[in-house]
Amino acid sequence: MPRVKLQHLAHARSGDKGNTSNISVFAYEPDFYPLLKDQLTAEAFKAFYGAAITGEVLRYEVDNIDALNFVAHGALGGGVSRSLALDNYGKALSAAVLGFEIEVPDALMPRLKGLNAA
Amino acid sequence: MTKTVRIGSGSAWWGDRVEPARLNAERGDLDYLCFETMAEATISAAQVRARRDPSFPGYDTYLDDRMRAVLPAALKRGTKIISNQGWINPDGAAQRVVELLRELGATGVKVASVNGSLITERVIELTDTILENGAPTATLGNTLISAEAYQGAEPIVEALRRGAQIVLTGRVADPSLFLAPMMHEFGWAADDYEHLGAGNGIGHLMECGAQVTGGYFTDPGFKDVPEPWNFGFPIAEVEADGSVVITKTPGTGGTVSLATVKEQMLYEVHDPANYITPDVVVDFTQAKLEQVGPDRVRVTGLTGKPRTPTLKVSMGCTEGFIGEDMFFYAGPGALRRAQLAKTILTERFKIVDLKAEDMRIDFLGLNAVHGAATPADAPEPYEIAVRVAARTRTREEAAKVGREVDGMAVSGIAHTGKRVPHQDRTREVIGVWSTLVPRTAVTPSVSYFVS
């Protein structure tokens, strides 16, 4: 199966609370959501971010809006006021996950966002 | 009988644009306009500033700007204003608004202030442990400069019931600012958790201003939004059953779509079935979203569960200083030179014995934003900024960062780009911790002022 970057299947947003970042991933179409659920596990997510997340990652499945909510503990350098990061709030953290690669069945390929435009 | 209450947003944080609030007041046909202006550390930072600067009034430094922008239209329409711009001085904020009203010739307008959030003197006796690390609250000792509980909607509802047209509060949970007018208008009781869950869920969609109308959303080629330089602020058209249409100021840029509403629904939420607020535990997982027109999304099925017996408290503490500076490389070999510069600084910090509790040296353009999550095969950029930041116990230690970067100007390596030294290369750190207090320990009080 072809592997494509998540950005073609989903959009994402990150928020902060203390030293914890939550990164939400939203399928562009309901048919894409099962692929995210199967492949973008909490373990895969944590491995993808590597040392950028020092604590536990929890994943909530939000089926009513075809979304996954990842709660990443220890992702914000101690929290906004203590953090030495340039991006204190971790607002840009959600962009990284859009580079995660997902295996997509051929039948869905023509429906992916931003992949088939000229 | 169906009644729709129109509630608009005026700001999502202290630094938000003022113009969209004016547009919403003028064009939104609003019953209520709500301003959210606080981040977690806002009150602690205000306490620090108040100690240093006797002229600082303790409320939102943009209070005048925001009120001057919206008062004329609000007075004309009869729009009520609810705002947490009171920070550590809600009474002062209310008195200032009274002055502004008089300047406009508006007499007899009732302005309320809500106090009771600040529990700095009592927090250590009221609480046991710090949520983040489990340590006893008492260990914060004399580093503690501010503790404030997140209050709910009830004191605002009381102010509205007593005829206040403008309500200025200290720390109130962001969505509660929006829930209060719904409770007042629809008569929802404080234990009507289904409706309160819906109302606070709507408040959560609204509290971040343009984030639900296309702000912090636009991604060219993937999520295109019209006129992203001219976002309108959101308007909630709420019905008595807790259903809502989210829309925005007519004639503005941005968009309200299923995607913008979904993103905002989970923003800063952990467990979507149990979003804890002072009023109710909100459940977002039964919500249904429907695009019912251009820039109109209808949300039904938001609900809630009984509120917790405790209130969350933010505690601000002095935790030392951060020193930070930056310099630049460009052209062929920029990364190689930046890497040597990093080595040089690391050695220099040993020579000057920098005592840092944490330090990072980033290459802007390569890895500064995503750090360890940056792909290994990221291409070498043409320009790189080297950014150095260290957290220390004293301001003197933090100043070493800037002093060593200064030295790179003439004793560094070829083609080092260096700025004129800035005066503000060190800053104080206000660390924020959380704890819980029994709900009964916090007593809100409401005061009234008339223009």
Side-chain angles (χ1 to χ4, degrees):
Chain A
M1 278 196 285
R3 294 171 69 84
V4 301
K5 289 201 161 99
L6 181 67
Q7 65 177 334
H8 302 291
L9 291 89
H11 51 110
R13 175 179 288 189
S14 41
D16 84 295
K17 267 212 175 95
N19 195 22
T20 302
S21 174
N22 83 292
I23 298 176
S24 316
V25 176
F26 307 84
Y28 277 118
E29 293 189 26
D31 286 348
F32 303 163
Y33 182 52
L35 300 177
L36 309 187
K37 249 175 141 168
D38 288 349
Q39 298 178 49
L40 190 55
T41 60
E43 295 72 30
F45 183 95
K46 184 167 162 65
F48 183 77
Y49 276 88
I53 297 172
T54 59
E56 183 188 16
V57 171
L58 297 173
R59 187 183 89 161
Y60 294 96
E61 299 170 2
V62 198
D63 293 347
N64 59 320
I65 54 170
D66 304 318
L68 298 173
N69 191 34
F70 295 90
V71 178
H73 293 274
L76 296 176
V80 57
S81 60
R82 294 184 187 95
S83 173
L84 294 182
L86 194 68
D87 179 23
N88 300 49
Y89 290 91
K91 283 223 168 200
L93 268 180
S94 49
V97 76
L98 297 179
F100 184 90
E101 290 192 345
I102 299 274
E103 286 188 355
V104 177
D106 289 312
L108 286 179
M109 288 296 288
R111 287 164 56 187
L112 298 191
K113 186 122 177 166
L115 200 60
N116 306 292
Chain B
M1 188 198 79
T2 60
K3 173 161 99 169
T4 303
V5 177
R6 297 176 63 85
I7 306 173
S9 149
S11 60
W13 71 295
W14 163 77
D16 210 342
R17 296 174 190 160
V18 173
E19 178 74 3
R22 183 179 66 79
L23 293 178
N24 215 353
E26 289 175 357
R27 301 183 194 166
D29 192 24
L30 300 177
D31 300 309
Y32 293 87
L33 176 58
C34 300
F35 291 87
E36 201 293 296
T37 64
M38 275 199 239
E40 267 183 348
T42 301
I43 283 192
S44 316
Q47 297 279 27
V48 169
R49 183 162 167 196
R51 284 196 293 193
R52 289 226 182 100
D53 173 6
S55 70
F56 172 58
Y59 49 76
D60 180 8
T61 49
Y62 290 129
L63 178 75
D64 281 25
D65 289 359
R66 298 194 205 286
M67 289 299 144
R68 285 187 205 279
V70 304
L71 279 177
L75 289 167
K76 201 169 160 190
R77 164 69 174 74
T79 301
K80 293 178 183 170
I81 294 172
I82 297 168
S83 166
N84 62 10
Q85 288 171 100
W87 293 6
I88 58 173
N89 186 10
D91 292 350
Q95 283 159 351
R96 179 63 190 149
V97 170
V98 163
E99 288 172 17
L100 294 171
L101 285 165
R102 287 178 183 156
E103 277 178 28
L104 291 168
T107 53
V109 177
K110 199 169 189 179
V111 182
S113 64
V114 174
N115 286 280
S117 296
L118 283 169
I119 56 167
T120 315
E121 283 72 33
R122 296 186 289 139
V123 70
I124 287 177
E125 60 187 82
L126 285 173
T127 63
D128 298 324
T129 49
I130 301 169
L131 287 180
E132 286 84 357
N133 62 12
T137 319
T139 58
L140 297 176
N142 59 10
T143 68
L144 182 75
I145 50 175
S146 176
E148 75 277 357
Y150 283 81
Q151 297 201 70
E154 284 172 90
I156 305 173
V157 176
E158 183 192 324
L160 294 172
R161 197 175 59 236
R162 292 177 178 240
Q165 186 171 349
I166 300 170
V167 184
L168 279 307
T169 77
R171 176 72 80 192
V172 166
D174 305 355
S176 305
L177 298 169
F178 294 84
L179 173 65
M182 302 178 208
M183 290 176 71
H184 176 63
E185 293 284 341
F186 300 127
W188 295 343
D191 61 354
D192 181 356
Y193 295 116
E194 286 186 23
H195 283 124
L196 264 47
N200 251 11
I202 294 165
H204 174 71
L205 293 177
M206 297 289 291
E207 68 179 83
C208 292
Q211 284 196 181
V212 76
T213 59
Y216 191 46
F217 174 84
T218 309
D219 189 358
F222 290 88
K223 297 182 291 178
D224 289 302
V225 167
E227 291 186 48
W229 47 87
N230 187 31
F231 288 121
F233 279 2
I235 297 166
E237 300 172 351
V238 191
E239 288 168 44
D241 65 355
S243 62
V244 67
V245 170
I246 303 291
T247 182
K248 67 182 184 71
T249 315
T252 56
T255 184
V256 181
S257 67
L258 295 180
T260 65
V261 175
K262 286 179 187 179
E263 283 199 17
Q264 185 56 29
M265 191 173 280
L266 297 189
Y267 181 68
E268 291 182 343
V269 167
H270 290 177
D271 178 354
N274 294 288
Y275 181 64
I276 299 171
T277 79
D279 304 293
V280 60
V281 176
V282 183
D283 180 0
F284 292 106
T285 63
Q286 312 300 316
K288 289 190 185 63
L289 277 53
E290 199 185 347
Q291 186 91 42
V292 293
D295 297 324
R296 294 179 65 79
V297 170
R298 183 170 166 81
V299 183
T300 54
L302 287 167
T303 187
K305 307 165 193 176
R307 64 193 195 180
T308 59
T310 51
L311 295 176
K312 184 177 163 182
V313 176
S314 268
M315 299 178 291
C317 300
T318 53
E319 282 186 4
F321 297 83
I322 287 175
E324 181 180 354
D325 204 351
M326 234 191 285
F327 53 101
F328 311 92
Y329 295 98
L335 179 57
R336 212 173 54 240
R337 280 176 282 136
Q339 280 160 341
L340 178 57
K342 179 175 175 176
T343 304
I344 291 170
L345 278 179
T346 306
E347 292 300 320
R348 287 294 311 166
F349 287 142
K350 285 182 204 160
I351 292 170
V352 301
D353 190 26
L354 172 67
K355 295 176 195 67
E357 302 193 320
D358 195 8
M359 179 163 79
R360 57 188 279 175
I361 299 180
D362 299 319
F363 298 145
L364 265 77
L366 186 77
N367 66 4
V369 179
H370 285 164
T374 307
D377 59 353
E380 177 173 342
Y382 184 79
E383 296 177 348
I384 292 180
V386 179
R387 175 182 170 270
V388 195
R391 194 167 67 236
T392 62
R393 292 314 304 177
T394 66
R395 197 182 284 277
E396 290 69 33
E397 285 297 310
K400 287 179 180 174
V401 171
R403 294 294 294 123
E404 288 310 312
V405 169
D406 289 344
M408 299 296 283
V410 288
S411 303
I413 52 184
H415 321 298
T416 299
K418 192 49 198 70
R419 298 181 296 177
V420 173
H422 295 290
Q423 295 303 310
D424 59 350
R425 293 184 293 180
T426 62
R427 62 180 190 268
E428 192 169 1
V429 176
I430 309 298
V432 179
W433 299 103
S434 306
T435 189
L436 299 173
V437 290
R439 184 176 283 282
T440 49
V442 177
T443 314
S445 68
V446 187
S447 304
Y448 299 90
F449 307 83
V450 179
S451 68

